[in-house]
Amino acid sequence: NAGVTQTPKFQVLKTGQSMTLQCAQDMNHNSMYWYRQDPGMGLRLIYYSASEGTTDKGEVPNGYNVSRLNKREFSLRLESAAPSQTSVYFCASSELDRGNTEAFFGQGTRLTVV
Amino acid sequence: RKEVEQDPGPFNVPEGATVAFNCTYSNSASQSFFWYRQDCRKEPKLLMSVYSSGNEDGRFTAQLNRASQYISLLIRDSKLSDSATYLCVVNPGWDMGRRALTFGSGTRLQVQP
């Protein structure tokens, strides 16, 4: 049982380059999320998808786009990377509408933009 | 004001000590509450959910005070393996216009031999 799988685990980009972070879950969850975590800070929500076919902005969406490809997959795209986007990115999935349910996280992507 | 606020610590305690963390949240309509644990450079994992009646899981006790809008976590008989960052997490529900967990910045615990 893989849970939430993120790729890649590490990435170095030059300013202005683009890339897509991939995320897939095998728990049949409706809701999926992308967070970023900067040193000494908690997780900040970038985008989320409450169900297949819907996406919504979170707290820090600027500079990112997302695609909910199907129920399993939720990708995050950086169109033109900036040094301020250097961070650790976590994908997560859950069923928040069903009471006190757990959110499961991928192992994270450590992104450095130089 | 942040939606979820925690003392960042670090809390440095000896093995066997009892340590308590508090967390406050700003949205009175928040639906559910959790403590997550995050080890260095790893993903967060659920430690326990928090209920109004209080709940206990071994050496860990969590409490919710809706009137004062705070959540607490008590760790008894601290072990070296408890060293981690503890994240206070709130499900704000639809009232905040989004359906996603909101995380505090975390409280770092270092248990020393």
Side-chain angles (χ1 to χ4, degrees):
Chain A
N1 185 4
V4 179
T5 304
Q6 271 182 252
T7 56
K9 287 190 170 53
F10 300 93
Q11 184 71 50
V12 179
L13 289 178
K14 293 182 179 177
T15 297
Q17 285 186 316
S18 62
M19 78 162 295
T20 300
L21 281 65
Q22 307 286 354
C23 176
Q25 52 95 5
D26 61 4
M27 294 169 284
N28 203 36
H29 286 159
N30 281 310
S31 301
M32 297 186 73
Y33 318 90
W34 278 104
Y35 290 89
R36 62 176 285 176
Q37 187 174 34
D38 300 303
M41 299 185 71
L43 280 75
R44 292 185 292 168
L45 183 67
I46 304 171
Y47 271 93
Y48 69 101
S49 171
S51 62
E52 186 179 355
T54 68
T55 61
D56 288 283
K57 295 179 180 179
E59 184 184 353
V60 288
N62 291 343
Y64 306 95
N65 285 301
V66 291
S67 295
R68 184 73 183 267
L69 304 168
N70 47 54
K71 191 170 186 179
R72 289 189 64 248
E73 298 173 288
F74 188 38
S75 62
L76 178 72
R77 182 159 179 84
L78 286 71
E79 291 291 351
S80 178
S84 61
Q85 294 178 304
T86 294
S87 190
V88 180
Y89 292 84
F90 288 102
C91 175
S93 72
S94 73
E95 285 292 358
L96 286 186
D97 286 342
R98 297 182 189 173
N100 285 352
T101 57
E102 181 176 355
F104 294 84
F105 285 81
Q107 291 183 306
T109 298
R110 280 159 183 78
L111 175 66
T112 301
V113 183
V114 297
Chain B
R1 183 186 172 187
K2 288 184 181 177
E3 290 178 39
V4 180
E5 293 205 65
Q6 295 181 250
D7 181 343
F11 284 60
N12 295 303
V13 302
E15 269 187 291
T18 295
V19 61
F21 307 137
N22 288 327
C23 161
T24 58
Y25 61 95
S26 61
N27 177 19
S28 60
S30 295
Q31 294 183 349
S32 49
F33 309 88
F34 311 87
W35 284 101
Y36 276 67
R37 170 187 169 135
Q38 187 175 27
D39 293 298
C40 188
R41 302 178 70 78
K42 301 277 187 148
E43 73 274 23
K45 293 185 178 178
L46 179 68
L47 178 67
M48 56 198 304
S49 299
V50 187
Y51 305 110
S52 296
S53 55
N55 49 305
E56 190 173 308
D57 183 2
R59 297 181 293 107
F60 298 83
T61 301
Q63 297 235 306
L64 166 65
N65 184 319
R66 280 193 182 270
S68 301
Q69 294 180 213
Y70 79 79
I71 305 154
S72 64
L73 177 67
L74 182 77
I75 305 175
R76 290 180 299 278
D77 189 23
S78 300
K79 312 289 185 193
L80 293 175
S81 57
D82 293 334
S83 297
T85 296
Y86 291 83
L87 302 168
C88 176
V89 184
V90 174
N91 174 11
W94 275 113
D95 209 53
M96 292 295 289
R98 61 173 186 268
R99 295 155 69 188
L101 297 175
T102 301
F103 287 76
S105 300
T107 298
R108 192 163 146 243
L109 172 66
Q110 185 66 49
V111 181
Q112 295 163 338

